[in-house]
Amino acid sequence: MRMQSQASASHEGRDLCLKSAPSTYIIFGAVVGSLILPWSYVALTKWPSEWQGVAVLVAIYAVWVLRFGSLRLTVSHGVIRYRTLLRQRSLLVSNIERSTFFWNVGGPFLVITPANGDEQLRVSLKPFRVGDIKELLALPELKLESRDHVA
């Protein structure tokens, strides 16, 4: 499993693949590690029953690593695909009515509205590299309504 963010252009100059940035793993690993290490020390030195708590934290960390590792946003051959751990959504680029970029407490988001009235494609851009996000938002096919506050 590659844990590297990558935006790669194809021969046509339109293919794009966004993966989770390494900083996503580093930050989340530091937060969870700051909980696991002291709890492990306590389990080793004072209360062996605390290993259950350590095991729960390690399991949570593993699930999040799988989640981040599965995130993919690709634009290729006229189709946008957004894959998460449990779901994949696809949308024809020609079917995009408009896109909206905004920030909220959870970070940057891109909401793509299909012209045919299907469910909107809502993408959290937080795990991706800033350079990759800029390249994505520069695609004219997205029909981005406003470029204000774009990364």
Side-chain angles (χ1 to χ4, degrees), residues 44-144:
L44 278 172
T45 59
K46 298 185 184 209
W47 298 298
S49 63
E50 292 299 312
W51 281 113
Q52 292 173 343
V54 173
V56 168
L57 285 175
V58 169
I60 290 169
Y61 179 69
V63 168
W64 276 95
V65 166
L66 286 172
R67 178 183 177 266
F68 290 133
S70 70
L71 286 178
R72 297 281 185 282
L73 179 67
T74 58
V75 181
S76 178
H77 303 291
V79 178
I80 292 181
R81 288 183 183 82
Y82 180 53
R83 188 181 81 193
T84 64
L85 182 60
L86 300 175
R87 187 175 185 198
Q88 178 171 314
R89 294 268 324 270
S90 298
L91 178 64
L92 291 173
V93 170
S94 61
N95 191 31
I96 294 176
E97 180 180 325
R98 70 180 182 279
S99 299
T100 307
F101 173 82
F102 65 93
W103 286 83
N104 71 10
V105 176
F109 281 86
L110 178 66
V111 177
I112 302 172
T113 304
N116 64 1
D118 283 349
E119 180 184 356
Q120 292 179 325
L121 180 60
R122 183 179 170 103
V123 179
S124 171
L125 299 174
K126 191 173 186 175
F128 304 119
R129 286 182 6 158
V130 173
D132 295 348
I133 295 169
K134 285 181 180 181
E135 192 173 347
L136 172 70
L137 296 177
L139 294 175
E141 296 91 336
L142 287 180
K143 299 176 187 163
L144 200 58

